[in-house]
Amino acid sequence: MNQVRANLPEQLTGKLVTPGDRRYAMLRSTYTTRANPAAVLLPETTAEVVAAVRHAREQGLPVAVRSGGHGLSGSASNDGGVVIDLSALNRVEVLDRRTRLVRVEAGARWAQVAQTLTRYGLAISSGDHGNVGVGGLATGGGVGWLVRSYGLTIDHVRAVEVVLADGTVLRADAEHEPELFWAVRGAGAGVGIVVAFEIEAAEIRTVGVAQLAVEASPDGSTLREWAGRLAEAPRELSTAVVLFPYGSSAVMQITAVVAAESPRRVRPAVAPLLEIGKLLEHRSDLVPYAALVPPAHLHPNVGQQPSLTTNGLLPELDEGSARAVMRTVTGPHRALVQLRSVGGAVNDVAPEATAYPHRHQSTLVVASVFPPQGGAALDAAFRDVARHTDGAYVNFESRPDRAAFDRIYPGETGRRVARAWRRYDPDGLFRPALLAERGRPERPGRRR
C-alpha cells in the first residue's frame, strides 16, 4: 500500500483507493470475480488517465483497466496490483445530430448512454444489459439488441482516443493511426486504454419487443425452426434465446426486438416465431429503445455472480449443431445456454476490416456454469457444440487463454492482433491473458 502511495502525482490526490478506504469494497471486484487489488485509481480526465498509467507503471505491479467491471473474464481487477477505474469518465455528447455522431467516454454504462441519446431519438446497439461499461464492449465487438439491422457496435466506431502504455495520447481513425484503429475494433484490450469513442448512432426512438416461451424439442428441430425463420426474416428483427431444462425437453425463452416504430411492421416480423414449437406464453409491446437497457440495471459489481462462460459461432444451426445445443441443456453435463442471432448487417462488413473477423456466421452460442461446477464441467457440457463452431467472441469468454485467442482471432487476424499489441504496448503492460501462453516478455516488474 505504501508503495502505491509513494510519489503519487498531485493531480491524483484523493483519487487513490486502498484497503481500509470505505470506497474499497465497492471498487475491488468485478461482476463475476472477487479480487483484492493493492489500489484503485479513479481518474476523471484523459490527463489523469495518463498520470494514472505512468504511476501504475512505475510501481512495477500488475495493471488492470476497468470501464464497467461487468466483463465475464474478471480481468478488470486483480490481486495485489493496480486497477485504473474509468467510471468517472462517463460523459455522453451528441457531436453532430445531423450525422448522428456521438462521443462516449469509456466509463459510461450503456444505460446512461441510452438515457442520454433517447432525448435525441438516437440509439447505439450495444449489448443486452445496461450495466455493461462502454469501454469493454466497444473494444470487443458489441452484439446488441439491434445487431441484425445495425451490426456490431464496433462497426459504427468512427474514431477513438487512446492512452498508450508510455502515456502517449493518440487519436485513431481511418486516416490516422489506421492499424491502431483496426485493432481497437475487436481486440482493443491489448493496445492501451481507450478513453473515448466517436460512434455513429442509429435513428431509433421506439422498438417492438416480443417475449415468447416455446417448448423446444430435444431433437433440435425447434431450434432449427427458429434459425430458419430468422434466416428469412427482415433485418429489422434480432433475437436472443435462453434455454431452460423442462422435463425431457427445454423451454426457449425468446426475446425478439424489431427495429420499427409501427405495430404494422412489428407484428409481421414477429409472427413467424409464434409458429415454432409449442407456444407457452407470448406478449408484445412498443417501448423506447432505452427500456431495453434501463437504469434499473445499474448496480455495483462486487463479485455477486461467480460463473464460467464460453461460446462459439455457428455458420448455420443445422441438425447436428442443434442436437448438440439441446444435449448441452438437457444432457448429463448441463449448462445454461443462450443463443444470439447475428448475421444481417454484421456480415456486410469484410472480415479483414476490423479485428473481429467473424462475418459469415448466423448464431452465437453461449454456455455458462455456476459454482460448484467449474471448468471441467463447462468443457464437458460444451464439447459437442464446440465441434460445430467456427470462431468465438471475446466478450463471452471467461478463460482468455491461448486456445481462446486462436478461436477469437484465427489465422492472419491473430497474427495481426499480436503484432499490433506488441507495437503499441511493447512491454505488455495491458496485454491480456489471451497472449500469456505465446511466450511474450513479462510485464515490467510484474510479481508472480
Side-chain angles (χ1 to χ4, degrees):
M1 185 188 309
N2 290 335
Q3 177 186 355
V4 181
R5 288 189 181 279
N7 301 314
L8 184 71
E10 183 178 350
Q11 64 200 117
L12 295 178
T13 300
K15 297 168 185 176
L16 176 72
V17 177
T18 55
D21 188 305
R22 60 182 177 79
R23 297 171 291 176
Y24 183 78
M26 293 298 181
L27 295 170
R28 61 189 287 187
S29 300
T30 73
Y31 181 59
T32 61
T33 307
R34 288 183 61 82
N36 295 285
V40 179
L41 288 166
L42 298 168
E44 297 181 7
T45 65
T46 298
E48 290 178 4
V49 172
V50 171
V53 168
R54 289 176 173 164
H55 181 68
R57 187 183 183 105
E58 289 168 1
Q59 307 317 304
L61 296 174
V63 175
V65 180
R66 177 166 59 222
S67 59
H70 200 85
L72 298 177
S73 71
S75 60
S77 193
N78 57 37
D79 291 322
V82 177
V83 176
I84 300 176
D85 184 302
L86 305 177
S87 58
L89 282 87
N90 58 14
R91 289 167 282 272
V92 182
E93 178 185 3
V94 176
L95 299 177
D96 188 328
R97 178 60 184 82
R98 183 183 61 81
T99 62
R100 307 186 303 281
L101 189 64
V102 178
R103 185 179 188 272
V104 185
E105 291 186 334
R109 310 292 177 97
W110 288 108
Q112 298 167 313
V113 176
Q115 289 295 308
T116 299
L117 296 188
T118 195
R119 299 195 295 268
Y120 298 88
L122 299 174
I124 296 171
S125 183
S126 51
D128 58 11
H129 199 277
N131 195 46
V132 174
V134 167
L137 182 136
T139 55
V143 178
W145 286 119
L146 307 174
V147 63
R148 295 182 72 244
S149 61
Y150 182 84
L152 303 174
T153 308
I154 61 171
D155 297 338
H156 296 270
V157 173
R158 300 295 176 245
V160 291
E161 183 180 346
V162 187
V163 177
L164 301 184
D166 64 359
T168 301
V169 180
L170 293 178
R171 176 185 170 86
D173 56 29
E175 302 297 327
H176 307 90
E177 298 290 343
E179 194 65 12
L180 177 61
F181 186 54
W182 176 87
V184 158
R185 293 172 297 155
V191 294
I193 301 178
V194 182
V195 293
F197 302 81
E198 293 179 13
I199 304 174
E200 184 180 329
E203 192 90 38
I204 292 177
R205 296 180 184 275
T206 304
V207 294
V209 179
Q211 298 278 355
L212 295 77
V214 176
E215 186 173 348
S217 169
D219 65 4
S221 59
T222 314
L223 288 184
R224 286 187 284 118
E225 283 190 60
W226 166 76
R229 303 295 173 139
L230 261 293
E232 298 171 355
R235 290 187 176 192
E236 293 172 324
L237 177 67
S238 298
T239 63
V241 173
V242 183
L243 290 164
F244 300 98
Y246 183 64
S248 61
S249 61
V251 170
M252 296 175 63
Q253 180 180 301
I254 305 172
T255 301
V257 177
V258 184
E261 298 187 359
S262 166
R264 291 191 301 273
R265 294 172 64 189
V266 172
R267 292 192 190 102
V270 172
L273 298 178
L274 304 179
E275 300 172 4
I276 65 173
K278 178 183 177 182
L279 185 65
L280 304 176
E281 185 180 351
H282 165 235
R283 62 170 295 173
S284 297
D285 297 287
L286 281 173
V287 301
Y289 174 81
L292 297 177
V293 285
H297 285 175
L298 296 173
H299 54 70
N301 293 312
V302 292
Q304 65 266 49
Q305 187 56 81
S307 60
L308 285 177
T309 296
T310 192
N311 74 93
L313 287 152
L314 297 171
E316 62 176 329
L317 195 58
D318 58 16
E319 183 176 356
S321 57
R323 283 183 180 274
V325 170
M326 291 304 298
R327 282 195 296 271
T328 301
V329 179
T330 63
H333 305 290
R334 293 186 176 185
L336 175 69
V337 173
Q338 303 177 64
L339 306 174
R340 300 286 195 279
S341 59
V342 285
V346 176
N347 293 358
D348 290 343
V349 178
E352 67 276 6
T354 69
Y356 180 97
H358 310 294
R359 303 295 183 166
H360 65 276
Q361 295 89 337
S362 67
T363 307
L364 172 64
V365 186
V366 183
S368 301
V369 297
F370 306 89
Q373 291 181 299
L378 180 59
D379 292 339
F382 199 65
R383 186 171 293 119
D384 286 348
V385 176
R387 294 189 182 103
H388 297 273
T389 60
D390 179 11
Y393 174 38
V394 68
N395 285 352
F396 280 119
E397 180 55 60
S398 292
R399 298 170 295 175
D401 55 16
R402 168 63 186 271
F405 182 96
D406 289 340
R407 290 184 295 115
I408 297 165
Y409 307 116
E412 177 53 32
T413 297
R415 290 185 286 274
R416 189 174 173 185
V417 166
R419 290 194 299 269
W421 285 359
R422 291 194 299 271
R423 173 181 173 183
Y424 291 101
D425 183 14
D427 295 322
L429 184 70
F430 303 121
R431 190 167 300 146
L434 283 164
L435 268 185
E437 299 181 24
R438 298 173 77 87
R440 304 306 173 201
E442 281 289 303
R443 294 172 181 172
R446 181 174 181 176
R447 298 179 181 178
R448 292 185 180 275

